[in-house]
Amino acid sequence: MSTTRIPARDLAHVAVFAALIIALGLPGAINIGISGVPITLQSLGVMMAGALLGPRKAVLAVLTVIALGLVGLPVLAGGRTALFALSSPTAGFLIGWIPTAFVIGWLTTKMLPKYRIVPGIGINLLGGVVVLYLFGIVGMMIRGHMTFLAAWTANAAFIPLDAAKAVVTAVVAAQVHRAYPALLRDSVAARAKTVVAN
């Protein structure tokens, strides 16, 4: 049985995308209606992390952002901390970043060696809309004491924007993987080596 070590290059990727997710929160958040659900660009960063880094590194990037927020740093849109977000009705969306990054990353690696935009959009919609909204709606039902219908209604208006993020992510991912095909391939190879070593 071997111990799994994260290469320095992978750690750099994680740090860069954690910084990207935080930076996408700098424009702030726009709250529409009484639901308290903010419109931010940070979910775009989460989608891109999954599409560009694969499941392991993408999840680590998201966990890094959440960990920084848990120690009190204002890393979320609007200068919020993770502690504040987790205590609000929108807690499910923050938690949902983790499975969103994993699902997009895992399915994207299955599409290699050639990244295709249309399947990529579908993958991003599955992870960045279906999975993320599932967690967000459940969180609103638990934290906000809302019915499923009320929670769904409060979020439905945001779907077109998040669908646009899925398209943008796929277009960017196609260009990046064409220019740097080893970005995800190295992650797949490293995982295979770990399985053989064990």
Side-chain angles (χ1 to χ4, degrees):
M1 182 174 171
S2 65
T3 57
T4 303
R5 296 176 60 185
I6 302 176
R9 179 176 55 184
D10 285 0
L11 287 175
H13 293 160
V14 168
V16 166
F17 273 83
L20 173 65
I21 294 170
I22 294 170
L24 286 172
L26 293 179
I30 300 173
N31 292 289
I32 296 179
I34 61 173
S35 66
V37 179
I39 299 175
T40 78
L41 293 176
Q42 289 188 298
S43 57
L44 173 63
V46 175
M47 289 187 202
M48 285 194 176
L52 297 177
L53 299 183
R56 184 180 64 140
K57 290 189 289 184
V59 168
L60 286 174
V62 169
L63 288 175
T64 298
V65 175
I66 293 175
L68 291 173
L70 287 174
V71 298
L73 296 179
V75 295
L76 302 181
R80 297 176 303 149
T81 67
L83 287 172
F84 177 85
L86 290 173
S87 66
S88 74
T90 61
F93 286 98
L94 180 60
I95 295 171
W97 282 5
I98 300 169
T100 290
F102 179 84
V103 168
I104 293 175
W106 184 73
L107 290 176
T108 299
T109 60
K110 298 298 182 184
M111 185 173 32
L112 293 181
K114 184 178 180 181
Y115 187 93
R116 299 181 301 282
I117 291 181
V118 173
I121 292 172
I123 289 169
N124 298 336
L125 286 172
L126 176 61
V129 177
V130 177
V131 173
L132 183 59
Y133 277 55
L134 176 63
F135 276 80
I137 287 171
V138 170
M140 293 180 76
M141 292 170 66
I142 295 172
R143 284 286 189 181
H145 308 290
M146 300 173 71
T147 65
F148 174 83
L149 181 59
W152 165 254
T153 302
N155 288 282
F158 305 140
I159 292 178
L161 177 61
D162 285 324
K165 294 176 189 175
V167 174
V168 170
T169 297
V171 172
V172 171
Q175 298 300 318
V176 171
H177 288 307
R178 185 178 297 116
Y180 186 24
L183 187 62
L184 266 178
R185 199 173 299 149
D186 288 348
S187 295
V188 174
R191 189 171 67 244
K193 288 179 181 178
T194 302
V195 170
V196 171
N198 288 337

